[in-house]
Amino acid sequence: MKSALLSNVNVESIARQIGRHEVHIAQGFGVWTQELADPASATFSFQPASIFLILDGAELLRGQRGLQPLLAELDEHLAWIDRAAAHFPGIKFFVSTIDVPTRTLRPVKDERIERLIEEHWHEGIRRASAASANVYIFDLKQLIEESGRFHFYSNKRWYLGGLRFSTTGERLIAGEMERILDAQMVARKKCLLLDLDNTLWGGVVGEDGINGLQLSETGPGARYRDFQLRVRELGKMGIILGLVSKNNEADALEVFEAHEHMVLKKDDFAAIKINWSPKAENIAALAEDLDIGIDSIVFIDDNPLEREAVKSALPEITVPDFPSDTSELPSFLERVYKECFFTIESTEEDRKRTKTYLANAKRAAERTMASSIDEFLEGLRTKIFLTRAGEEDFGRAAQLTQKTNQFNLTTRRYSEQDLRTLESTRGGSVYIASVADKYGDNGKVIVGILRRATPDTAELDTFLMSCRVLGRFVEDQVLDHFVGELRRDGFSRLQVRFTPTRKNAPARAFVERLHGGRLLPSDAESGELIWEFDIAKASPVTKPAYAELVAKQLLLDEVVS
Amino acid sequence: MVEKLIETIARALRVPPSTLTPETGPGDLQVWDSLAQINVVSEIEAEFGVSIPFEQVAEIQHVRDFLPYLGKTS
């Protein structure tokens, strides 16, 4: 894209850095007003689509003229800009704000004319931009403030060759120019999909409950609130927002209704997929519903496994790395904006876009698709370390029984002492497992408690797993291992108990995919369901083993002792 | 040291390092004009964390002339 760069200092070195676009520079610096005033100037003859006017504040002040003549001169400059913009309505003019460093030595009490000059200029270009559709503000001062004058300017370069800015400063200016030029050519991304837990708020709603979430006006929870504010701003610029989360839909949506510090509302999202299916499937379905390409979607999730799974199933999607320091969340989204959604202006249509898609999406049917989930799970190189709980494990195991709501078959809450007693009782055994993968260790996340019901029947009293390893079928593999060990120890039947709660849909999905169970008559009042499996010949587990399971010896000996 | 110097200068000039030797100077490459010379100085200062005194910049005629400044910190 053709553009021209006008300045009151030497900007040739900046133009040289802009590789993707052709940039014309006026010969002889300081000629910028002439170039602007003359419709036949070399600048206009080049027929640029955009003209950048980068003005150095200190240079505008050169010559001791006093404040009033100086302001009058700025008004003259502004008048030339207005005239040029009116004469060439097809050219976009990006006019810089100015930074005027205080260089004069003067007493504290004296007037700060630098600020007056900056304000006067800003008021002028603000008015020009409001009056003319093709005048935009290039916020040079913002760039300088972000990095600091010390880094942005260079005395040596100035005295050597009239180069006002340091290489850092030049790079920032060139980067911003390229972003603006690119935005006029390259289609920006259309849709931002967000995870919920530990992304829109701190904590896990299914575990911590609404009141346990980190989300507040001030204090630590404000980092999530500020993040949401930025997300809402993207929505206002016409970016379609969507939610893709592994959660119980009712729990998650309740946060939108009931949490007083939620900035985003349910209606801010054109598409919502809150369920336990793989996210790649949900995203593919959602793209179809919204009728947008996968390549126009940006997906933000705090969980590296989810990011990796989505990236490998849908290579065209953009998945930015999540900041490891969550205080960086708001600035992270600024970066995502600049890289994926940057726009020079938004229209009324943009602002209504989410509503349009919301209506379209409601019409579109739900669909599912098979993705390469098997390949993904195998690629994780997951390892399960299963062991009989020792004294050092009771604390963590008790905590897991207290906190885990989603993948928890019976939701029986145990204290450390309860578990110790259970373990010392004949036929009761507590197991704990940790899960690691190529990205690191997830820690101890699985607890299973087996009891002897009759001499040949074992009963699964408790089986729970933290939701951070959900969706990888490690629970199936652990159960399968239990079955093998029970069989070896002479058990022929296993009873699996399931008590439905408002939150344990993932546990229900698990018991429902077990094979060959016989439902026993059970206590209707508690709603508890008991399936009995004949394990002498076959295992109820149908899922393949994706992980490597390492079990400590003597695993189940105590059960039959 | 010379290798890193050549890489740094090549980066500032946007040319492949192979086009430079310790004997190359601003007169030898078209892209190495007076403006590029300033960028070369800035790039070397940033890369090596040194300051090349203003008075000395004009005396630098070859790649090798930068070497005495590389070890000194400002």
Side-chain angles (χ1 to χ4, degrees):
Chain A
M1 172 164 276
K2 281 173 134 187
S3 68
L5 175 53
L6 288 173
S7 181
N8 58 347
V9 290
N10 185 348
V11 286
E12 198 178 333
S13 171
I14 297 175
R16 285 185 190 180
Q17 290 184 44
I18 297 174
R20 288 194 294 277
H21 306 274
E22 237 184 301
V23 183
H24 177 268
I25 298 274
Q27 290 306 310
F29 52 94
V31 301
W32 67 280
T33 41
Q34 267 167 264
E35 290 286 313
L36 216 51
D38 178 9
S41 69
T43 298
F44 290 117
S45 304
F46 181 70
Q47 297 186 312
S50 305
I51 293 180
F52 292 89
L53 196 49
I54 305 291
L55 293 175
D56 175 53
E59 192 57 13
L60 281 178
L61 255 71
R62 200 151 54 87
Q64 303 284 322
R65 279 157 299 183
L67 183 63
Q68 286 317 317
L70 191 69
L71 296 183
E73 196 182 294
L74 294 184
D75 288 338
E76 260 174 60
H77 296 331
L78 289 163
W80 285 121
I81 293 168
D82 278 335
R83 240 170 286 175
H87 200 274
F88 295 98
I91 299 178
K92 291 183 163 71
F93 291 80
F94 295 91
V95 186
S96 81
T97 49
I98 57 171
D99 174 60
V100 188
T102 305
R103 296 248 162 78
T104 317
L105 307 179
R106 66 165 86 96
V108 175
K109 185 78 174 163
D110 283 15
E111 193 175 38
R112 261 52 200 165
I113 63 158
E114 293 81 5
R115 298 297 153 265
L116 293 174
I117 295 160
E118 286 174 353
E119 284 158 24
H120 189 84
W121 180 257
H122 186 255
E123 180 53 23
I125 60 174
R126 188 197 61 78
R127 221 180 294 139
S129 174
S132 312
N134 59 333
V135 175
Y136 303 80
I137 293 176
F138 182 96
D139 206 349
L140 175 66
K141 187 161 171 65
Q142 164 70 13
L143 293 180
I144 297 169
E145 286 169 350
E146 283 273 286
S147 56
R149 286 177 182 147
F150 180 79
H151 296 288
F152 206 92
Y153 294 114
S154 163
N155 287 330
K156 191 175 286 174
R157 292 166 66 81
W158 173 246
Y159 293 119
L160 280 173
L163 303 174
R164 180 61 90 190
F165 310 111
S166 69
T167 45
T168 304
E170 289 190 344
R171 243 194 310 274
L172 288 168
I173 294 171
E176 188 71 8
M177 285 174 62
E178 279 193 302
R179 217 187 325 275
I180 289 171
L181 292 169
D182 287 347
Q184 297 173 59
M185 293 178 68
V186 184
R188 62 172 174 159
K189 304 291 178 192
K190 292 197 184 101
C191 173
L192 176 65
L193 299 182
L194 296 148
D195 172 43
L196 290 174
D197 292 331
N198 287 317
T199 299
L200 276 198
W201 51 67
V204 177
V205 63
E207 303 293 341
D208 304 318
I210 288 194
N211 296 326
L213 297 178
Q214 290 186 43
L215 180 63
S216 52
E217 187 94 32
T218 55
R223 62 203 199 282
Y224 291 99
R225 191 173 187 277
D226 291 344
F227 179 73
Q228 289 197 20
L229 284 168
R230 299 288 91 79
V231 171
R232 191 172 64 180
E233 284 155 13
L234 284 180
K236 286 188 177 149
M237 283 189 269
I239 306 304
I240 309 161
L241 303 177
L243 296 174
V244 178
S245 166
K246 285 184 179 166
N247 248 310
N248 278 346
E249 189 169 20
D251 287 351
L253 293 181
E254 200 190 339
V255 182
F256 286 87
E257 302 295 322
H259 200 294
E260 58 169 333
H261 294 302
M262 280 297 286
V263 172
L264 294 161
K265 302 294 171 212
K266 191 173 168 244
D267 279 352
D268 290 322
F269 298 92
I272 297 179
K273 297 275 182 196
I274 302 173
N275 54 47
W276 299 96
S277 305
K279 293 197 178 187
E281 279 178 21
N282 278 324
I283 293 171
L286 192 147
E288 186 125 315
D289 292 350
L290 296 172
D291 196 22
I292 55 175
I294 298 290
D295 60 351
S296 63
I297 298 177
V298 177
F299 173 61
I300 292 181
D301 196 310
D302 66 297
N303 185 335
L305 290 176
E306 295 290 1
R307 296 203 297 271
E308 183 69 15
V310 165
K311 257 191 284 188
S312 67
L314 307 167
E316 291 168 297
I317 199 170
T318 301
V319 184
D321 285 341
F322 197 80
S324 52
D325 178 344
T326 49
S327 66
E328 296 300 326
L329 266 173
S331 54
F332 160 66
L333 208 60
E334 277 168 43
R335 232 172 26 248
V336 171
Y337 163 65
K338 286 187 175 173
E339 281 164 22
C340 304
F341 300 115
F342 186 80
T343 183
I344 57 173
E345 60 201 310
S346 67
T347 63
E348 187 56 36
E349 219 182 335
D350 283 338
R351 288 184 280 272
K352 287 195 302 200
R353 187 167 297 136
T354 292
K355 284 201 174 79
T356 314
Y357 275 100
L358 202 54
N360 288 349
K362 275 176 186 156
R363 277 178 230 124
E366 287 267 325
R367 65 179 291 280
T368 55
M369 65 155 252
S371 76
S372 57
I373 189 75
D374 284 9
E375 219 177 288
F376 164 66
L377 289 173
E378 271 155 26
L380 286 177
R381 299 201 298 275
T382 306
K383 276 190 176 176
I384 306 164
F385 300 93
L386 179 62
T387 174
R388 185 78 178 262
E391 186 52 39
E392 71 280 8
D393 297 316
F394 290 131
R396 172 63 180 163
Q399 186 191 38
L400 282 167
T401 71
Q402 298 294 331
K403 274 181 52 186
T404 309
N405 296 320
Q406 301 183 334
F407 189 92
N408 195 336
L409 267 60
T410 52
T411 320
R412 292 182 182 167
R413 312 294 194 194
Y414 290 117
S415 69
E416 218 175 308
Q417 189 51 43
D418 291 336
L419 294 178
R420 212 172 275 124
T421 309
L422 232 161
E423 181 65 38
S424 59
T425 312
R426 194 179 141 86
S429 307
V430 181
Y431 300 97
I432 191 158
S434 63
V435 175
D437 54 53
K438 66 176 176 180
Y439 297 102
D441 193 352
N442 293 290
K444 290 171 180 161
V445 287
I446 298 175
V447 171
I449 300 175
L450 283 167
R451 287 175 196 263
R452 180 203 293 258
T454 68
D456 69 342
T457 305
E459 170 201 319
L460 191 61
D461 169 281
T462 290
F463 195 35
L464 66 82
M465 184 176 73
S466 161
C467 60
R468 75 177 97 134
V469 289
L470 206 59
R472 297 155 65 172
F473 307 112
V474 289
E475 64 275 37
D476 298 68
Q477 215 172 326
V478 170
L479 186 75
D480 194 49
H481 189 83
F482 283 160
V483 166
E485 294 289 330
L486 287 167
R487 193 188 296 152
R488 202 201 62 189
D489 289 333
F491 285 92
S492 56
R493 279 190 290 277
L494 171 67
Q495 292 181 354
V496 174
R497 287 167 182 269
F498 172 70
T499 310
T501 68
R502 223 172 53 77
K503 290 182 173 168
N504 70 350
R508 175 184 283 276
F510 169 74
V511 293
E512 281 176 358
R513 70 174 175 261
L514 296 178
H515 178 74
R518 186 169 62 92
L519 200 54
L520 300 181
S522 59
D523 178 5
E525 210 169 39
S526 71
E528 187 185 61
L529 301 167
I530 305 170
W531 281 272
E532 191 172 82
F533 295 89
D534 180 358
I535 56 169
K537 285 170 243 113
S539 167
V541 174
T542 53
K543 283 281 167 191
Y546 294 104
E548 180 190 347
L549 190 146
V550 183
K552 261 203 189 153
Q553 56 181 63
L554 300 177
L555 183 62
L556 287 165
D557 288 356
E558 312 272 337
V559 180
V560 289
S561 66
Chain B
M1 196 63 119
V2 180
E3 211 166 284
K4 189 176 167 193
L5 174 65
I6 283 179
E7 274 169 26
T8 308
I9 295 173
R11 193 164 60 238
L13 297 175
R14 296 160 194 278
V15 297
S18 58
T19 54
L20 300 170
T21 73
E23 299 308 314
T24 316
D28 303 319
L29 289 173
Q30 211 191 339
V31 293
W32 199 339
D33 56 14
S34 58
L35 179 66
Q37 173 73 343
I38 299 171
N39 283 337
V40 166
V41 170
S42 301
E43 193 77 29
I44 290 171
E45 288 186 335
E47 179 67 42
F48 291 88
V50 296
S51 176
I52 299 168
F54 187 85
E55 292 75 10
Q56 312 299 322
V57 174
E59 288 167 23
I60 292 173
Q61 297 301 324
H62 304 93
V63 168
R64 63 175 152 76
D65 296 341
F66 284 106
L67 284 169
Y69 302 103
L70 303 188
K72 295 177 197 164
T73 48
S74 54

